Each structure stands twice: as C-alpha cells, then as structure tokens.
Amino acid sequence: MIKNISRKSSSWQLPEHQVTDEGVYLKRRSFLKQLGFVGTSALLSSSAQADWFSKNELTPFVTKPLSFKNSFKSEDVLTPEAKVISHNNFYEFGTSKNDPIENAQQFNVNPWQLNVSGEVGKELTLDYDDLYKLFPLEERIYRMRCVEAWSMVIPWIGFPLAQLIKKAQPNSKAKYVAFETLYDPKQMPGQSSRRIGGGVKYPYVEGLRLDEAMNPLTLMSVGLYGKSLPPQNGAPIRLVVPWKYGFKSIKSIVSIKLVEKMPPTTWNILAPREYGFYANVNPQVDHPRWSQASERRITSGGLFARNRIETMPFNGYEEQVAHLYKNMDLRKNY
Amino acid sequence: MTGKLIHSQVIFSTKFLIHIVSLFLLCDLYYQAVNDRLGADPVEVVLHFTGIGAFNLLLLSLTISPLAQYFKLPLLLKFRRLIGLYSFVYVLCHLLSFLAFEVQFDWHLFINEVIERPYITIGMLAILIMFSLAITSIPLIKREMGRNWQKLHNSVYLASLLVGLHFYWSVKSEIIEPSMYIGISLTLLYCRKKKIIRWFK
C-alpha cells in the first residue's frame, strides 16, 4: 500500500491503532466461509476453496496518492478507512458487503473513458489522466447515509459536478442528468451472473435533476482518504450526493448525459414503491419495510458501540439543498 | 464390549460434538464481534449468521426423520431434539442481537418495527412457535401433554415456512438464496405429504 501523503493532523483524524488491518477482515470472512455456515451461497461458490490459497498470489489493486486542498470539513468522527473500503454495496462485484473488496481487486481502470454528451454545446471525453487533472481536486468530508439505515463519514476527494457540466455547455433543453456505470461482464462478475449480481438489470443507471447536479455539494469523486478510489468504492470516478441515499451515488461512471426528460434509475425500476427518483434522506418517510427515522453510524468500536443516532432531514444538509424542493410533496416524491 | 455400550458411546460423542460445534461458533462470533473484528458492521454479520444458523439447524432437524426412515437408522432420531433446541438458541440470539445491537433497546422503535414491518412480524411469530416447542421439549412437560404434544410440535412445519418468508422478505433484491431455502423447506414438507393430507381429512 502506498503511504499516506503528509497532511496536517486534525482533530478528526483517528490514531492508527483504531483502524483494523484490512488483512484481518479478509481472513476473518474467509474463515467463516470455510466453515460453510454463512449460508448456501458459500456452498455454491466454486471459488471459495480457491480463494483460501490464491488470495495472496493475486496483486491487489494499487491506489495512488492525490494532491488536493481541504475545503469541506465536518465535526463528525470519521469512519476508519479499513471500514470504508470493506463495506460496500456494489452489486456488480457481489451482493454481500465484503464481496466488492474481494472480487474487485483485478478491476482495470486505466485506460478509462468518461463521455459527457446529450443536450450540450460541446461533447467531452475525459480519459484516465483527465479525471485527476482537468479540475483542481478538493477534499470534502461528507456523511453517507445508506437506504439500509446505516451511515458513514468519509473524506472524499474530487471536484464539483457543476464544473464538468459547465464545461460541456448544456443547452436550454437540458433538464436532467443521466449517469451510467461501466458495463463489462468480463470484469464485473455480477453483470454476467444473476446470482452474484442480485437480479439487478445492468448497466446501473442513475439520474439527477439539473439543479441538483449543479448544486455545489454534488461531487464527482476520484479518491478517498488521500488516495485515488479503490475499485470497490467506484474507481476511477463516482458521484457523491450527500443529501440523498447512497444508491444515488453511482460508481465507476462511463457516461454522463444531459437530457430533457427524467431518466430511469436502477433501484426505481427494480422496486418503484420502495425507491423513488429523488431518494432524499428523509426521517419522516419510511422505507415500506423499515424505518428511516434513525440510523447506525459506523465508526470504530465493535458490537457494543452505541451507534444509533437520529437521521436528519436531507442528511443534515437542509440549509444547502432544501430550497431545491420548495412546494414539493416529499412524501409523494420520495 | 457389548453392542449396547458402543451404541450409547456413539450417541454420547455425537451429542458432545453437536454441543461443541454449535457453542464454539456462537462464542467465536460474539468474541470477534465485540472486538470489532467482524467486518465494518459487526451487527449485520451477527444478525445474518445467527439467522441463517438457526434456519440451517431447523432444516437439519427436519431432515433427520426422513433420513432415518430412508436409511433405516433410527439412531439418528436421538439427535433431533438437541439440534432443534440449538436452532432455538440461535434464533434467540438473533432476536436478542436485533434488540440489543440493531435497535439498541429503543423499545418504541422495536415495538413499531415488530408491528409495522410484515417480515419482522412473521419472524416474531416463528420465534413464538419455536419458543413453545423448546419449552415443551422438557421431558416432564412432554409426558404431561400426552397426545397434544405431537399436535403442538407439528407447528414446526409452519415455523419453517414463516422463517423462509421472513428471509425472502428481508432482502433487497438478492432473492436466489432465500428462494432456495424455501425450496428446501417445501421439499421437507413434501416428504411428509401423507401425514399432512391426513390432517386435512
């Protein structure tokens, strides 16, 4: 692993001993799987046995240090890096939280192409190096609230989506922004197997209203914890919309299209009653199958961490974004 | 050494092994979870492990009598009660972990979730059934109940279906694993089709 680049240590930085080594996590999970007790998925997984021996032979994905300025701080305690990179919903690499870190290490992100097209004056194609060079990078510490009622606090690195959209010069027809994840079943096992991919129709697509996309909080992230993104977190580039449930923050993006009509979004297609287009964090509107009034904040500490906290409207970013939804019934537009 | 002695030794050592494995897995799980060595969110892992563990043990206990019949191995029946009881132990851990670590003794939230969320409601129903089965497996109570005991214990089939539904309903989109569990439950019910047809006559 690459050394963290030197930064001024701030009050929110955790001492190193609080961060569990990644290897310990992986071994632990493999051990449970070996016992064949996690469920039938373990029995079916033909690679379970091979993993045990071959894991160390495969070279893990290499991240690189990034330079950036600090711009958006938070009082919240950060979620340790080892947890941020090992607890991921990225069904392209498997549906268990620890599947992506295990299955995505061979993911190739260079070369990469990100196209900006649709209702724009100037189509853009960003290659791998452009992602880090076209705009100045900044660090933003955001809360991330998953629709499953857990949350993290993550130091992202990236640039505002607004800068990218402005560069493409959207025309007057552009009302919405449609995003698409890479479709590459060879690299993403979840896309070639329904069992691994959880029955989601791929490629994963997401969307925002143009004014949501232009809000200064909306970030295109290329890194976290001072380094470029690991594949399980959406390398090389992903969206971060901190006032919406995590599934809106689409990963490994290859296409951004400015469009006139509200674009389809993956979870809404899958279960329209449970996941809306807006998906703003809202403690007043429950998911049909569980409460959204509170959440468990994942930081350090084990089973006895008293980590249940109240969920805030717009995930605590009410001041910055509530004006976008004036005169809208947020119960209907969930 | 007489055959009978070997027989009882086999029973003793098998039961011993069931105790060791079931308890070791549980103790190890909670030890790792308390020390934050169980992935990023130990609560999720504990709930999943105890839930799946309870279901596995429940289905295993229901597999015993068809196996004993098919292979003419009545000895197997000696372990059915113990495995059923461990299924209940796991299910109890599942419930208590949900209460203590997921909702963290927010009783208002707990009661609301049990009432408002169908998958939790049927999960609770299954636990109540399994509780009544566990309590009545005390030999003294079993004797007192006479023929009613068997009637009550037939509800284990209902419990297995409720647990399958609870699992199916709790996931977001990854329905293949719970569907397989429901398939296994239905297959085990099918093995008892004569008995079930008799109930409805």
Side-chain angles (χ1 to χ4, degrees), chain A residues 25 28-29 35 38 40 83 87 148 198 275 286-287 289-291 296 301-304 306-308, chain B residues 25 28 32-34 36-41 43 45 52 101-102 104 113 117 119 169 171-173 177:
Chain A
Y25 278 149
R28 184 62 223 145
R29 299 293 309 189
L35 292 170
V38 174
T40 38
K83 293 198 171 195
H87 192 78
E148 297 164 1
Y275 312 99
D286 285 345
H287 184 282
R289 289 182 286 145
W290 56 82
S291 167
R296 282 190 308 101
L303 205 49
F304 288 104
R306 308 297 295 168
N307 57 3
R308 186 161 282 281
Chain B
L25 289 174
D28 183 58
Q32 304 290 346
V34 166
D36 202 12
R37 281 194 232 148
L38 218 52
D41 187 9
V43 179
V45 178
I52 289 283
F101 308 126
E102 178 65 45
Q104 300 178 4
E113 293 287 275
R117 318 291 167 193
Y119 86 95
W169 230 335
V171 301
K172 269 164 73 195
S173 75
E177 194 181 348

Side-chain angles (χ1 to χ4, degrees), chain A residues 71 100 214 219 232 247 277 321:
Chain A
S71 66
M214 299 301 286
L219 190 73
Q232 62 271 26
F247 67 85
F277 174 82
V321 299

Side-chain angles (χ1 to χ4, degrees), chain A residues 20 24-25 28-29 31-32 35-41 44 83 86-87 89 91 95 97 146-150 152 194-195 197-200 267 270 274-275 286-291 294 296 298-308, chain B residues 21 24-25 28-30 32-46 48-49 52-54 56-57 90 97 100-106 109 113 116-120 168-177 180-181 184:
Chain A
T20 308
V24 174
Y25 278 149
R28 184 62 223 145
R29 299 293 309 189
F31 177 63
L32 283 177
L35 292 170
F37 219 74
V38 174
T40 38
S41 64
L44 284 171
K83 293 198 171 195
S86 65
H87 192 78
N89 278 327
Y91 285 14
T95 55
K97 298 290 189 292
C146 179
V147 74
E148 297 164 1
W150 52 267
M152 290 184 174
R194 198 194 142 89
R195 182 176 65 77
V200 173
W267 281 97
L270 208 65
E274 302 191 341
Y275 312 99
D286 285 345
H287 184 282
R289 289 182 286 145
W290 56 82
S291 167
S294 57
R296 282 190 308 101
I298 295 173
T299 54
S300 46
L303 205 49
F304 288 104
R306 308 297 295 168
N307 57 3
R308 186 161 282 281
Chain B
V21 172
F24 170 78
L25 289 174
D28 183 58
L29 177 79
Y30 283 102
Q32 304 290 346
V34 166
N35 291 297
D36 202 12
R37 281 194 232 148
L38 218 52
D41 187 9
V43 179
E44 187 186 327
V45 178
V46 163
H48 194 65
F49 188 88
I52 289 283
N56 285 344
L57 288 164
Y90 273 61
S97 297
F101 308 126
E102 178 65 45
V103 304
Q104 300 178 4
F105 296 112
D106 180 343
L109 179 63
E113 293 287 275
E116 285 178 26
R117 318 291 167 193
Y119 86 95
I120 299 182
Y168 186 93
W169 230 335
S170 69
V171 301
K172 269 164 73 195
S173 75
E174 51 290 21
I175 54 172
I176 292 180
E177 194 181 348
M180 284 172 31
Y181 270 88
I184 295 169

